[in-house]
PDB file of all heavy atoms in Angstrom:
ATOM      1  N   ASN A 104      85.889  88.740 114.460  1.00 97.00           N
ATOM      2  CA  ASN A 104      86.396  87.644 113.617  1.00 97.00           C
ATOM      3  C   ASN A 104      86.875  86.491 114.510  1.00 97.00           C
ATOM      4  O   ASN A 104      86.549  85.313 114.330  1.00 97.00           O
ATOM      5  CB  ASN A 104      87.543  88.183 112.728  1.00 97.00           C
ATOM      6  CG  ASN A 104      87.981  87.121 111.747  1.00 97.00           C
ATOM      7  OD1 ASN A 104      87.611  85.988 111.725  1.00 97.00           O
ATOM      8  ND2 ASN A 104      88.805  87.607 110.775  1.00 97.00           N
ATOM      9  N   SER A 147      91.906  87.670 132.906  1.00 97.00           N
ATOM     10  CA  SER A 147      90.880  86.911 132.213  1.00 97.00           C
ATOM     11  C   SER A 147      91.447  85.903 131.227  1.00 97.00           C
ATOM     12  O   SER A 147      90.689  85.108 130.622  1.00 97.00           O
ATOM     13  CB  SER A 147      89.918  87.820 131.490  1.00 97.00           C
ATOM     14  OG  SER A 147      90.519  88.443 130.377  1.00 97.00           O
ATOM     15  N   VAL A 236     100.236  81.287 118.686  1.00 98.00           N
ATOM     16  CA  VAL A 236      99.294  82.138 118.014  1.00 98.00           C
ATOM     17  C   VAL A 236      98.820  81.574 116.665  1.00 98.00           C
ATOM     18  O   VAL A 236      97.800  82.043 116.133  1.00 98.00           O
ATOM     19  CB  VAL A 236      99.896  83.537 117.746  1.00 98.00           C
ATOM     20  CG1 VAL A 236     100.327  84.191 119.054  1.00 98.00           C
ATOM     21  CG2 VAL A 236     101.073  83.530 116.780  1.00 98.00           C
ATOM     22  N   GLY A 265     108.031  90.416 109.831  1.00 97.00           N
ATOM     23  CA  GLY A 265     106.636  90.480 109.485  1.00 97.00           C
ATOM     24  C   GLY A 265     106.203  91.926 109.129  1.00 97.00           C
ATOM     25  O   GLY A 265     105.488  92.106 108.151  1.00 97.00           O
ATOM     26  N   THR A 297      83.715 107.614  78.973  1.00 97.00           N
ATOM     27  CA  THR A 297      82.786 108.099  80.048  1.00 97.00           C
ATOM     28  C   THR A 297      82.900 107.115  81.226  1.00 97.00           C
ATOM     29  O   THR A 297      83.485 106.055  81.123  1.00 97.00           O
ATOM     30  CB  THR A 297      81.352 108.093  79.550  1.00 97.00           C
ATOM     31  OG1 THR A 297      81.002 106.741  79.241  1.00 97.00           O
ATOM     32  CG2 THR A 297      81.207 108.939  78.280  1.00 97.00           C
ATOM     33  N   ALA A 346      98.424 110.101 102.502  1.00 77.00           N
ATOM     34  CA  ALA A 346      99.232 108.925 102.676  1.00 77.00           C
ATOM     35  C   ALA A 346      99.479 108.751 104.187  1.00 77.00           C
ATOM     36  O   ALA A 346      99.509 109.720 104.934  1.00 77.00           O
ATOM     37  CB  ALA A 346     100.546 109.005 101.944  1.00 77.00           C
ATOM     38  N   ALA A 378      98.832 116.824  96.221  1.00 96.00           N
ATOM     39  CA  ALA A 378      98.573 117.660  97.400  1.00 96.00           C
ATOM     40  C   ALA A 378      98.820 119.124  97.129  1.00 96.00           C
ATOM     41  O   ALA A 378      98.289 120.005  97.863  1.00 96.00           O
ATOM     42  CB  ALA A 378      99.399 117.234  98.587  1.00 96.00           C
ATOM     43  N   ALA A 428     114.426  90.749  99.168  1.00 98.00           N
ATOM     44  CA  ALA A 428     115.594  89.909  99.179  1.00 98.00           C
ATOM     45  C   ALA A 428     116.812  90.669  99.787  1.00 98.00           C
ATOM     46  O   ALA A 428     117.599  90.122 100.549  1.00 98.00           O
ATOM     47  CB  ALA A 428     115.937  89.407  97.796  1.00 98.00           C
ATOM     48  N   HIS A 434     119.354  91.690 107.147  1.00 97.00           N
ATOM     49  CA  HIS A 434     118.884  91.428 108.517  1.00 97.00           C
ATOM     50  C   HIS A 434     118.875  89.971 108.910  1.00 97.00           C
ATOM     51  O   HIS A 434     118.449  89.620 110.004  1.00 97.00           O
ATOM     52  CB  HIS A 434     117.468  92.043 108.742  1.00 97.00           C
ATOM     53  CG  HIS A 434     117.450  93.483 108.512  1.00 97.00           C
ATOM     54  ND1 HIS A 434     118.020  94.429 109.354  1.00 97.00           N
ATOM     55  CD2 HIS A 434     116.845  94.251 107.537  1.00 97.00           C
ATOM     56  CE1 HIS A 434     117.784  95.652 108.934  1.00 97.00           C
ATOM     57  NE2 HIS A 434     117.107  95.577 107.788  1.00 97.00           N
ATOM     58  N   PHE A 457      97.112  87.180  89.865  1.00 92.00           N
ATOM     59  CA  PHE A 457      98.524  87.341  89.473  1.00 92.00           C
ATOM     60  C   PHE A 457      99.501  86.821  90.481  1.00 92.00           C
ATOM     61  O   PHE A 457     100.578  86.278  90.149  1.00 92.00           O
ATOM     62  CB  PHE A 457      98.673  88.850  89.272  1.00 92.00           C
ATOM     63  CG  PHE A 457     100.049  89.390  89.133  1.00 92.00           C
ATOM     64  CD1 PHE A 457     100.643  89.487  87.889  1.00 92.00           C
ATOM     65  CD2 PHE A 457     100.731  89.931  90.216  1.00 92.00           C
ATOM     66  CE1 PHE A 457     101.881  90.054  87.705  1.00 92.00           C
ATOM     67  CE2 PHE A 457     101.996  90.498  90.082  1.00 92.00           C
ATOM     68  CZ  PHE A 457     102.578  90.538  88.816  1.00 92.00           C
ATOM     69  N   MET A 475     111.211  89.278  86.914  1.00 98.00           N
ATOM     70  CA  MET A 475     111.084  89.485  85.453  1.00 98.00           C
ATOM     71  C   MET A 475     111.837  88.358  84.701  1.00 98.00           C
ATOM     72  O   MET A 475     111.636  88.190  83.491  1.00 98.00           O
ATOM     73  CB  MET A 475     111.615  90.827  85.028  1.00 98.00           C
ATOM     74  CG  MET A 475     110.839  92.010  85.581  1.00 98.00           C
ATOM     75  SD  MET A 475     111.312  93.609  84.886  1.00 98.00           S
ATOM     76  CE  MET A 475     113.045  93.743  85.377  1.00 98.00           C
ATOM     77  N   TRP A 491     103.276  98.725  75.758  1.00 98.00           N
ATOM     78  CA  TRP A 491     103.793  99.522  76.847  1.00 98.00           C
ATOM     79  C   TRP A 491     104.533 100.753  76.378  1.00 98.00           C
ATOM     80  O   TRP A 491     104.298 101.828  76.813  1.00 98.00           O
ATOM     81  CB  TRP A 491     104.723  98.543  77.629  1.00 98.00           C
ATOM     82  CG  TRP A 491     105.121  98.927  78.987  1.00 98.00           C
ATOM     83  CD1 TRP A 491     104.663  99.965  79.754  1.00 98.00           C
ATOM     84  CD2 TRP A 491     106.147  98.246  79.809  1.00 98.00           C
ATOM     85  NE1 TRP A 491     105.277  99.953  80.999  1.00 98.00           N
ATOM     86  CE2 TRP A 491     106.174  98.901  81.045  1.00 98.00           C
ATOM     87  CE3 TRP A 491     106.947  97.170  79.578  1.00 98.00           C
ATOM     88  CZ2 TRP A 491     107.070  98.533  82.069  1.00 98.00           C
ATOM     89  CZ3 TRP A 491     107.822  96.737  80.579  1.00 98.00           C
ATOM     90  CH2 TRP A 491     107.851  97.405  81.836  1.00 98.00           C
ATOM     91  N   THR A 500     103.295 112.420  74.391  1.00 95.00           N
ATOM     92  CA  THR A 500     102.910 113.202  73.241  1.00 95.00           C
ATOM     93  C   THR A 500     101.647 113.993  73.560  1.00 95.00           C
ATOM     94  O   THR A 500     101.560 115.188  73.100  1.00 95.00           O
ATOM     95  CB  THR A 500     102.678 112.259  72.063  1.00 95.00           C
ATOM     96  OG1 THR A 500     103.908 111.536  71.765  1.00 95.00           O
ATOM     97  CG2 THR A 500     102.296 113.065  70.810  1.00 95.00           C
ATOM     98  N   GLU A 541     136.592 101.673  88.662  1.00 97.00           N
ATOM     99  CA  GLU A 541     137.066 100.396  88.247  1.00 97.00           C
ATOM    100  C   GLU A 541     137.115 100.372  86.728  1.00 97.00           C
ATOM    101  O   GLU A 541     136.429 101.128  86.095  1.00 97.00           O
ATOM    102  CB  GLU A 541     136.147  99.257  88.797  1.00 97.00           C
ATOM    103  CG  GLU A 541     136.160  99.119  90.276  1.00 97.00           C
ATOM    104  CD  GLU A 541     135.211  98.061  90.780  1.00 97.00           C
ATOM    105  OE1 GLU A 541     134.016  98.391  90.916  1.00 97.00           O
ATOM    106  OE2 GLU A 541     135.634  96.894  90.893  1.00 97.00           O
TER     107      GLU A 541
END
Side-chain angles (χ1 to χ4, degrees):
N104 188 350
S147 70
V236 301
T297 64
H434 300 290
F457 168 87
M475 297 189 298
W491 196 8
T500 302
E541 295 176 274

